[in-house]
Amino acid sequence: MSSSRHRVAVIGGDGIGPEVCAEALKIVAAAGVDLDTTDFDLGAARYLRDGAVLPDATLEELRGFEAILLGAVGPPVGDTAVPPGTLERGLLLRLRFELDLYVNLRPFTGVPGSIGEGADFVVVRENTEGTYAGEGGFLRKGTAHEVATQGSVNTRMGVERCVRYAFELAERRRRRLTLVHKTNVLTFAGDLWQRTVKEVAAEHPEVEWDYNHVDAACIYLVEQPARYDVIVTDNLFGDILTDLAGAVAGGIGFAASANLNPARTGPSLFEPVHGAAHDIAGKGVANPLAAIHSAALMLDHLGETDAAARILKALAAQADAMSAGSPSSSTQLSTTAVGDAIAERL
């Protein structure tokens, strides 16, 4: 058992979120780490009940935790009771901006049988700028001459701190870094990103780096995913590329993420990227591996490196067994049974 007791906020959220969060917390306990958890009722269900998305008082309370574990938020597909963007901007993006979670780290290891089998790479996505910063607006909205603009905000500080994180990560891995952008069309933002990478690269001569246009990277992720080690990219491209990477590596149910504040001026947030999946909620068939992997990333961030490494090893063994389709570890196991199986491996 760890000698430290970490204060962690838990946002189970909507759909399968509470189910996969429960398995993640089960595995953390099985790994011998003691968490002092506090549950927060946030998401689509809360919004429909009382109109609250992320009250200021709740945000201030969240600042006092060491980390946040989130399951998933969002209404069922096609449900219009929650206006589009309400939760994305009011909850998820607000947490990223307010807590300065400027690195979105998404690791991928191709499971056996996937087209990405053998691949092992991470995407470092800038998480607080780009097109998600909210710059833009309407002119003559609702008329035949309507104009909508949506800008991409890229600051030297924001780009550089993300790039530095990526190079430092590459040094600890296989010392290969790829910048992904669209410099031939996005000539201003792309130029800033490319110049920054070149300048920071001079401080890391042991790291080899190259550049891919984002459309080429989409092809390479499908045809040659093992070519990548560390990908660094902007907010929008990172969002799209990591969904593709999840599919390539075995399915979005395996895709974990860490929204990091490397300066540790507040809590970092850890979540699977698969969404609320209301169509399978309550059926006990949700894949909890992404949430468990996210919890392992959380433990590593909290300094519980041994427990995190053991969880990742057990996860890999379980993913191999599930891919092999063995009777005791097949994809027919329930959500809780998968958690139990990983706990036994620990």
Side-chain angles (χ1 to χ4, degrees), residues 210-240:
D210 63 355
Y211 170 80
N212 290 164
H213 287 323
V214 65
D215 42 352
C218 289
I219 296 171
Y220 295 145
L221 274 175
V222 174
E223 296 183 346
Q224 306 171 39
R227 68 184 285 154
Y228 291 117
D229 179 21
V230 175
I231 294 173
V232 63
T233 190
D234 81 347
N235 210 336
L236 178 60
F237 293 148
D239 193 0
I240 296 168

Side-chain angles (χ1 to χ4, degrees), residues 36-61:
D36 178 8
T37 61
T38 301
D39 292 325
F40 286 83
D41 179 16
L42 297 169
R46 168 72 184 275
Y47 174 80
L48 291 174
R49 190 167 60 252
D50 61 16
V53 179
L54 179 59
D56 291 344
T58 302
L59 174 61
E60 290 308 307
E61 189 176 357

Side-chain angles (χ1 to χ4, degrees), residues 157-187:
M157 181 198 76
V159 172
E160 183 175 338
R161 64 183 184 175
C162 181
V163 167
R164 287 191 178 281
Y165 181 92
F167 270 99
E168 291 166 5
L169 179 60
E171 283 185 338
R172 302 193 299 271
R173 289 176 52 89
R174 300 195 305 277
R175 299 184 176 183
R176 297 206 312 271
L177 180 144
T178 302
L179 167 64
V180 174
H181 211 282
K182 191 68 175 173
T183 56
N184 59 337
V185 176
L186 304 178
T187 53

